[in-house]
Amino acid sequence: MSGWVRVVGLGPGPDAWLTEEARRALADATDLVGYHVYTNRVAARNDLRVHGSDNGDELARARHALSLAEAGARVAVVSGGDAGVFGMAAAMFEAIDDGPAALRSLDVTVLPGVTAMLAAAARLGAPLGNDFCAINLSDNLKPWSIIEKRLALAAQADFVIALYNPASKARPQQIHRAFAILREQRTGAAVVVLAKAVGRPDQEILVTTLGEADPNAIDMRTLVIVGAPTTRCIERGTNTPWVYTPRWLSEP
Ligand code: SAH
């Protein structure tokens, strides 16, 4: 029996945002590997072995998935959103790159998913309608000084900036510092969106400004979008305004 690994993004929440290809891989899998919050989102089956683990040590999880596949299992490795965006896909290739040569002949495929940034953008209108970037605010795997540099330069270059992992219980202060850096580069009127639990029953989307955004309202389920200078709101009464960034830009 020949095993495989499918690295599957589950989307930001609802099943409607799980791709058909991902759904098929989950149905064909014999083993499910991932952070337990994500493995719990996959319907239990008698013929599916679930290897849910705590957050962290993605490399160990990736090696485990590879060794199961080497022994003939069909393994779905799950991430939230898209597995390639701050998810398990890169950890899989770190494990293969560092591992024995035999791993290179394994059948490993990454399946695309809907990342949080795209889901949040769609809910708002079109905030990513011009050039944008995504920054992971967690300094678990990179120095905080690099994050500060990237924030400042992305703001200087007028990108729309999506901030993943903006805060957690262990890192409550970094989003305060991030806003301070952004406020040095952009006016207080810059559009800021706090998109919490997008697509889930407890979804909350707040459109505010860089001057008024409250970093204390941001948690690990929040995606922050900081608009470019051209990002605009279309007010519509008591409904959340539409937020969009026009496709055009004029010479500075
Ligand atoms: N691979 C995931 C991102 C993992 S990093 C993806 O592609 O979406 C985890 C961060 O993603 C969270 O801290 C949050 O910033 C963002 N996120 C994930 N799901 C979200 C959702 N439903 N609503 C808002 N933000 C979300």
Side-chain angles (χ1 to χ4, degrees), residues 165-250:
N165 287 311
S168 71
K169 289 205 182 80
R171 300 180 296 104
Q173 283 309 313
Q174 292 170 344
I175 186 66
H176 292 253
R177 180 76 190 121
F179 277 170
I181 291 166
L182 294 168
R183 283 175 184 139
E184 286 167 13
Q185 311 291 340
R186 297 245 168 114
T187 74
V191 179
V192 166
V193 175
L194 312 183
K196 194 174 288 186
V198 177
R200 312 228 178 107
D202 51 340
Q203 168 180 300
E204 274 175 45
I205 295 185
L206 180 69
V207 178
T208 175
T209 61
L210 190 54
E212 289 185 354
D214 176 11
N216 294 312
I218 295 171
D219 63 14
M220 61 187 297
R221 296 170 312 145
T222 310
L223 180 96
V224 179
I225 297 180
V226 181
T230 52
T231 302
R232 309 167 56 83
C233 292
I234 302 177
E235 297 297 338
R236 38 183 199 143
T238 52
N239 290 326
T240 304
W242 281 315
V243 178
Y244 80 105
T245 307
R247 294 160 302 147
W248 45 261
L249 264 181
S250 26

Side-chain angles (χ1 to χ4, degrees), residues 12-13 38 79-83 85-87 114-117 163-166 195-198 200 220-223:
Y38 302 132
S79 276
D82 176 82
V85 179
F86 313 131
V114 177
T115 188
M117 169 176 77
L163 298 176
Y164 282 78
N165 287 311
K196 194 174 288 186
V198 177
R200 312 228 178 107
M220 61 187 297
R221 296 170 312 145
T222 310
L223 180 96

Side-chain angles (χ1 to χ4, degrees), residues 3-130:
W4 47 245
V5 176
R6 301 284 176 264
V7 191
V8 178
L10 297 178
D15 276 356
W17 290 348
L18 181 73
T19 71
E20 192 51 41
E21 185 184 42
R23 196 186 314 279
R24 246 180 286 132
L26 294 171
D28 290 346
T30 57
D31 290 74
L32 186 66
V33 170
Y35 175 31
H36 59 75
V37 168
Y38 302 132
T39 57
N40 287 344
R41 279 174 48 191
V42 178
R45 287 196 326 257
N46 286 338
D47 57 347
L48 181 68
R49 282 179 296 272
V50 180
H51 312 268
S53 46
D54 288 338
N55 208 358
D57 213 352
E58 287 82 9
L59 213 46
R61 200 185 284 148
R63 290 198 186 104
H64 183 209
L66 291 164
S67 67
L68 290 168
E70 275 190 304
R74 301 190 298 273
V75 188
V77 177
V78 289
S79 276
D82 176 82
V85 179
F86 313 131
M88 278 302 295
M92 290 303 303
F93 294 105
E94 289 164 24
I96 292 171
D97 208 3
D98 268 2
L103 293 179
R104 296 170 189 221
S105 51
L106 265 181
D107 175 3
V108 176
T109 310
V110 181
L111 310 185
V114 177
T115 188
M117 169 176 77
L118 300 186
R123 281 286 177 265
L124 286 152
L128 307 180
N130 208 304

